[in-house]
Amino acid sequence: MADPSGSCFVEDILIQDGIVQKTGLFTPPKNVLKINAGGLVCLPGLVDMHVHLREPGQTHKEDMVSGSRAAAAGGVTALLAMPNTIPPCDSPEAVRFVTRRGASLPVRVYQAAAASKGLAGEQLNDFSVLKAAGAIAVSDDGRPLPDAGIMKQALIHAKAAGLPFLSHCEDFSLSRGGLVNEGEISRILNVPGFGNDGEAVCVARDVAVAECNSLPVHICHVSTAESVNIIRSAKARGVSVTCETAPHYFTLTEDLLLSRDADYRMNPPLRTRRDMKAVLAAITDGTIDALATDHAPHSPAEKADFFSAPNGVIGLETLLAVSYTRLVKPGHITLWRLAELTSQAPSKILRLPFAGIKPGAPADFCLFDPDWEFTVEPEKSRSKSRNTPFKGMTFFGKVKYTICRGKVVFDSEHKF
Ligand SMILES: [Zn+2]
């Protein structure tokens, strides 16, 4: 077991009142619940900064309870819910609805408020009021702010309110509702394509607005080689830009779409092998700050027809295993870097406290078995939906226990 922030190895962890009391070798007190963690790796609880919980409005896909149970099953102890619910989370009342319910959920649920009224991209909300209600970020995720001038105002107001702005980068004049990546696959399927330019043009715009005005911006779900290059060079110039990618962008490629299975459709779409490698390289060299799932549940009925299905895939339960298998096992990154990508960096971007696993820190962590290989079986998901693009694939790194606020919120032996 290890603590990536303190770089120390610990043998035992004593938790009391939700707080880590002691680490190291010691005789545990009597009358405590003991977990045998032999052979398991302990990581700080994952912080997934991009999740769609679908509540209110679309609870047939997911709700806060099912979504947070899926999170716990994936080793995630904190998540950020995106505001594109029905109605959108664009008022203090809507933010309070989530924060009130958060306390009774197995993991910590935070809310991103909508940047614009009704997510329409026209009139900005009062970010300070939303922050006072409990929002910890602002975003119109699912859509870009369509106008660079509004984007500039949004970044100014977000900075003034002390909230990170999370940007969904898509230029609608280029993406044009494309179902898959633009190129060979879109031509074979004879469907509209969303090319790399549709993302990269908007990334370049947002980075330029941030750079020219010395404002921070966070870019969501980076999927293309060009986006990665723009962000890498911006960082080298000292621009205050951070970004995330999702496990499917460094694991899967567009050829899966030839199956005409909508479970492989998300926005932005799966790209080419060249893009996948670029994303992987950007994770390795530090250009990409964080891993997030963009967990986007849709019911099997909604996903049944390839052409009319909505975009989105679930990912909370596979975030750790896919990342461990794809990144750590082949030696692209270390376990410490994985903890940074999945916990420390997203906490920092969202301005949440991060204390690692040491005395005095909140007891939020997961224990996983690095040698346990398992097959992803959608029907066993804790999510209400089944739309995982990793179905049938095998991964190492099964989560055995998740502990949040000092309580066992997931135990692989006993279903929670
Ligand atoms: Zn998005």
Side-chain angles (χ1 to χ4, degrees), residues 43-328:
L43 284 182
L46 278 64
V47 178
D48 187 346
M49 64 182 295
H50 198 134
V51 175
H52 299 275
L53 286 179
R54 307 301 190 206
E55 185 177 351
Q58 294 184 299
T59 51
H60 63 288
K61 299 174 195 262
E62 196 78 287
D63 59 38
M64 291 174 69
V65 172
S66 63
S68 52
R69 281 186 182 153
V76 173
T77 56
L79 64 85
L80 182 68
M82 286 295 166
N84 61 339
T85 46
I86 301 174
C89 188
D90 64 354
S91 67
E93 295 73 33
V95 174
R96 277 195 285 269
F97 167 78
V98 177
T99 46
R100 256 200 310 270
R101 294 202 50 193
S104 61
L105 297 169
V107 303
R108 301 176 197 265
V109 172
Y110 298 98
Q111 183 66 43
S116 69
K117 293 243 178 309
L119 297 169
E122 289 161 8
Q123 196 186 343
L124 292 177
N125 293 312
D126 185 329
F127 296 169
S128 299
V129 168
L130 295 169
K131 185 185 183 185
I136 66 160
V138 277
S139 179
D140 266 8
D141 183 58
R143 309 169 56 81
L145 284 175
D147 179 308
I150 292 171
M151 182 67 186
K152 178 174 171 177
Q153 290 307 312
L155 293 188
I156 290 169
H157 290 302
K159 187 179 182 186
L163 291 173
F165 186 93
L166 318 178
S167 183
H168 168 113
C169 286
E170 175 176 358
D171 185 316
F172 285 145
S173 72
L174 291 164
S175 64
R176 295 173 299 132
L179 296 188
V180 302
N181 186 36
E182 185 177 53
E184 196 189 337
I185 305 294
S186 67
R187 281 192 290 276
I188 292 170
L189 294 173
N190 195 27
V191 297
F194 171 178
N196 285 24
D197 51 3
E199 177 180 308
V201 164
C202 196
V203 172
R205 180 198 79 171
D206 290 358
V207 165
V209 171
E211 182 169 17
C212 294
N213 300 286
S214 302
L215 296 163
V217 68
H218 176 82
I219 309 294
C220 296
H221 41 58
V222 168
S223 74
T224 76
E226 292 79 8
S227 303
V228 157
N229 289 337
I230 292 163
I231 294 165
R232 183 181 289 116
S233 63
K235 283 187 166 193
R237 295 193 303 278
V239 181
S240 185
V241 55
T242 54
C243 69
E244 75 199 28
T245 193
H248 39 269
Y249 299 121
F250 58 80
T251 308
L252 309 174
T253 53
E254 60 171 356
D255 37 294
L256 283 166
L257 275 310
L258 289 173
S259 65
R260 292 178 171 80
D261 181 341
D263 287 348
Y264 299 117
R265 276 193 38 222
M266 74 290 287
N267 181 11
L270 294 178
R271 305 288 188 184
T272 64
R273 196 163 178 76
R274 168 181 165 267
D275 295 296
M276 185 181 73
K277 284 179 150 178
V279 169
L280 196 54
I283 291 169
T284 309
D285 74 10
T287 301
I288 288 175
D289 299 273
L291 305 182
T293 59
D294 198 0
H295 180 84
H298 295 293
S299 72
E302 290 162 324
K303 277 291 197 181
D305 178 62
F306 177 72
F307 299 98
S308 62
N311 287 312
V313 295
I314 57 172
L316 281 164
E317 288 162 274
T318 47
L319 170 62
L320 176 56
V322 175
S323 302
Y324 176 76
T325 305
R326 180 78 178 126
L327 302 175
V328 180

Side-chain angles (χ1 to χ4, degrees), residues 28-40:
K30 290 191 178 82
N31 306 324
V32 293
L33 173 71
K34 294 190 191 80
I35 293 174
N36 180 0
L40 305 183

